[in-house]
Amino acid sequence: MTYRVCFVCTGNICRSPMAESVFRARVAEAGLEERVRVDSAGTGGWHEGEAADPRTVSVLEEHGYGTEHVARRFEPSWFGRLDLVIALDRSHLKALRRLAPSEEDARKIRLLRSYGPEGGDDLDVPDPYYGGRGGFEECLEMVEAASDGLLAAVREQLEGRAA
């Protein structure tokens, strides 16, 4: 059975495609690409059909990640097929919880940095869209730091499932 993870940010052109690319690479490195599917979406539809922000693509490529991305809006009906919905900041977490059709679906929603080693109260990945390149680099660092913990959590969930 396939485990499905969807990363969600605001417009699905910066943070969530970055998280999708990094986590997909972690899944492949772990040899789990046949068991785990990774995608992303936005809470809004402003950029639907667009590619990832060129700064996102540039930072990903410079760090060895690929991305073939087309932005889309998260739909409440997707909860039924997803195992984990990863919000990039608290505003996305709140928006997703409002969209969740049931308590069971709401329990699938987590903040990305809750899987990271940092801990603390501020678990948001800041939006780099209106800033310079440094914000995209910082975003990548945060995503990478949390991806190992997320992979460990997904592996734990997979242990009880049939291959």
Side-chain angles (χ1 to χ4, degrees), residues 15-89:
R15 292 173 284 180
S16 58
M18 189 175 283
E20 175 187 357
S21 294
V22 170
F23 194 65
R24 184 175 287 126
R26 294 294 189 275
V27 165
E29 290 164 6
L32 296 172
E33 60 269 273
E34 295 299 318
R35 297 192 66 199
V36 179
R37 293 287 174 257
V38 182
D39 60 17
S40 65
T43 58
W46 307 279
H47 298 285
E48 278 185 293
E50 294 178 22
D53 186 290
R55 297 166 294 181
T56 297
V57 173
S58 173
V59 167
L60 285 170
E61 287 177 350
E62 287 176 18
H63 289 85
Y65 300 104
T67 182
E68 292 184 25
H69 177 75
V70 176
R72 61 195 185 135
R73 183 180 190 158
F74 188 89
E75 297 293 334
S77 62
W78 297 355
F79 276 107
R81 66 177 172 84
L82 294 169
D83 296 286
L84 199 53
V85 180
I86 304 294
L88 277 289
D89 73 25

